[in-house]
């Protein structure tokens, strides 16, 4: 295992992994995972394979996975649930402990109350000014990993 933990923000087309150094939380590695494969099953399999490849490379000590929200679109919720299950299986297979974290819980690291995406992006950019957050997913994954670090240090 390395000296990193990981935060994973999952999406049906774009996901993101943020690896945060356990000793220096200013050291962050961002890994975007994109797929435009039209077939949903093949797209999710591709995203899961890319996440597995990244986890094998970076060998985090713990993975924090954003829990799927129930979205009014049944099919999107089903896709995200399937991807979350695949990531849980990947972590189990790689013997990496993981925690499923509700969105409302990790977002508290960015402030109080109902946090908006713009606030999360601003928080991430101020915390890691040397990083380019090209997607909201990368901001979310970075903040999720920081939340996870705080939980591990409690």
């Amino acid at each position: 295992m390395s000296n990193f933990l990981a935060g994973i923000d999952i999406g049906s087309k774009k996901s993101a992994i943020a690896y945060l150094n356990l000793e220096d939380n200013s050291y962050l590695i961002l890994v975007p995972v994109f797929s435009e494969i039209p077939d949903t099953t093949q797209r999710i399999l591709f995203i899961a394979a890319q996440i597995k490849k990244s986890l094998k490379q970076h060998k985090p000590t713990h993975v924090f996975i954003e829990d799927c929200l129930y979205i009014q679109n049944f099919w999107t919720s089903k896709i995200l649930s399937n991807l979350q299950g695949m990531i849980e299986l990947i972590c189990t297979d790689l013997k990496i402990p993981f925690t499923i974290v509700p969105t409302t819980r990790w977002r508290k690291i960015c402030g109080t109350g109902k946090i908006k995406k713009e606030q999360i992006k601003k928080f991430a950019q101020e915390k890691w000014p040397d990083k380019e957050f090209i997607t909201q997913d990368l901001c979310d994954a970075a903040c999720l990993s920081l939340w996870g670090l705080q939980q591990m240090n409690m």
Side-chain angles (χ1 to χ4, degrees):
M1 294 290 170
S2 71
N3 208 23
F4 290 93
L5 62 80
I8 301 178
D9 179 77
I10 59 173
S12 61
K13 292 183 181 176
K14 291 187 260 181
S15 293
I17 310 168
Y19 295 97
L20 188 62
N21 188 289
L22 293 168
E23 294 172 2
D24 176 7
N25 68 23
S26 66
Y27 186 74
L28 181 72
I29 299 170
L30 298 172
V31 180
V33 182
F34 299 97
S35 177
E36 295 296 329
I37 298 171
D39 180 76
T40 305
T41 301
Q42 293 305 311
R43 185 172 62 242
I44 296 305
L45 288 170
F46 176 83
I47 290 171
Q50 294 303 305
I51 290 171
K52 182 174 185 175
K53 181 180 174 183
S54 183
L55 291 174
K56 281 176 131 178
Q57 177 185 354
H58 294 286
K59 299 176 177 62
T61 59
H62 198 98
V63 174
F64 293 89
I65 306 166
E66 182 179 45
D67 197 9
C68 298
L69 294 173
Y70 173 74
I71 301 171
Q72 290 181 351
N73 180 327
F74 170 77
W75 292 110
T76 301
S77 295
K78 184 177 176 184
I79 291 165
L80 293 176
S81 294
N82 287 340
L83 181 56
Q84 179 179 321
M86 293 171 81
I87 296 168
E88 292 174 23
L89 184 60
I90 289 166
C91 289
T92 301
D93 183 50
L94 296 176
K95 297 178 178 35
I96 303 170
F98 64 90
T99 303
I100 304 301
V101 184
T103 303
T104 54
R105 190 170 300 151
W106 73 257
R107 283 186 173 187
K108 290 179 182 173
I109 198 152
C110 302
T112 57
K114 189 167 172 76
I115 305 297
K116 295 186 167 116
K117 291 181 179 190
E118 299 80 28
Q119 291 170 282
I120 295 167
K121 187 168 189 168
K122 183 175 187 256
F123 178 88
Q125 289 172 327
E126 289 174 357
K127 174 72 181 156
W128 300 285
D130 62 320
K131 297 297 175 189
E132 184 178 356
F133 291 95
I134 57 174
T135 67
Q136 183 67 41
D137 304 289
L138 288 169
C139 296
D140 292 353
C143 292
L144 173 58
S145 67
L146 184 61
W147 180 89
L149 180 62
Q150 284 187 350
Q151 300 310 300
M152 292 178 72
N153 289 334
M154 291 181 131

